[in-house]
Amino acid sequence: MTITATRPHVALSARALLACGAVSGPLYFLTSLTQAAVRDGFDLTKHPASMLSNGDAGWIQVTNFLVTGVLMIAGAIGLSRTLEPGRGSTWGPRLLGAFGVSLLFAAVFKADPGNGFPAGSGPAAISTAGILHMAAGSVGFLSLIVATFVFASRFSREGHRGWAVYSRATGIAFFAAFATMSSGNANAVVMLAFWAAVMLAWGWVTAVILRTTR
């Protein structure tokens, strides 16, 4: 009797957690792109979103990292509770949770200013906080990339070929964009490709969570 009574509550709780994960990506990009459009000196062809944490209005992006990080972790917990046992049911949610944790670290350790943002900023020495920010971002992005392949394997095993291809393509595109930007060749095309790849990857997270919710 007790078990039967708690099942609806567990299901409702899991769906609420999944909903948190589903809105994390759209919220992150709505907040980031709005700031990119109005903040003086910010240029999508020169600057990653993390640089928005600098300047007088930097607290907005710091809050964005914190909120979306918590939402992403909640979504990962929701996935861990709802995915049926099988390939990827353990490590898929864990990797997405690691991505969420990296966003919290990105909020605590801000990216260094430079390259004209905030307005007037020039080249600056890399700070300890900047190094930790880059490390957190690298771990988070790599976790997200690996997650795409983990879920691709699960979808393939379940016979969902379209989802498997979508997952692998997302991981490959994101890895290529991230590796190119990290190599130091961050020209306008590379930066725009990186922005697009991050949107693609986070859109994939939203799609997978919505699929699980249904």
Side-chain angles (χ1 to χ4, degrees):
M1 185 70 178
T2 302
I3 294 176
T4 303
T6 59
R7 281 177 180 169
H9 171 72
V10 172
L12 181 60
S13 174
R15 290 179 71 87
L17 291 168
L18 289 170
C20 288
V23 302
S24 60
L27 176 62
Y28 178 85
F29 279 103
L30 176 63
T31 306
S32 297
L33 291 175
T34 299
Q35 292 180 83
V38 301
R39 292 194 60 184
D40 187 28
F42 192 87
D43 187 342
L44 291 174
T45 66
K46 296 179 180 179
H47 308 121
S50 57
M51 291 188 69
L52 289 165
S53 296
N54 294 293
D56 293 338
W59 64 270
I60 299 175
Q61 187 65 4
V62 170
T63 303
N64 191 24
F65 278 128
L66 290 172
V67 173
T68 53
V70 171
L71 291 174
M72 186 69 261
I73 293 170
I77 294 172
L79 281 173
S80 70
R81 293 183 179 180
T82 54
L83 287 177
E84 294 183 1
R87 183 172 295 180
S89 61
T90 298
W91 279 103
R94 285 181 181 178
L95 288 164
L96 294 181
F99 173 56
V101 172
S102 76
L103 295 171
L104 303 183
F105 276 90
V108 175
F109 304 106
K110 296 193 297 184
D112 292 318
N115 200 20
F117 185 82
S121 298
I126 300 178
S127 66
T128 300
I131 293 173
L132 292 173
H133 179 91
M134 289 188 289
S138 296
V139 171
F141 287 149
L142 290 175
S143 295
L144 183 51
I145 290 167
V146 175
T148 64
F149 291 100
V150 169
F151 276 98
S153 177
R154 179 183 178 87
F155 291 139
S156 180
R157 188 176 184 84
E158 293 176 342
H160 303 297
R161 184 177 179 183
W163 278 94
V165 171
Y166 171 37
S167 299
R168 291 192 184 98
T170 298
I172 291 170
F174 189 22
F175 176 77
F178 176 55
T180 303
M181 191 196 71
S182 300
S183 68
N185 301 317
N187 56 37
V189 174
V190 170
M191 284 304 305
L192 289 175
F194 180 70
W195 272 90
V198 176
M199 292 180 70
L200 173 66
W202 219 326
W204 170 84
V205 172
T206 301
V208 168
I209 291 176
L210 289 176
R211 181 182 184 276
T212 304
T213 304
R214 289 196 298 270

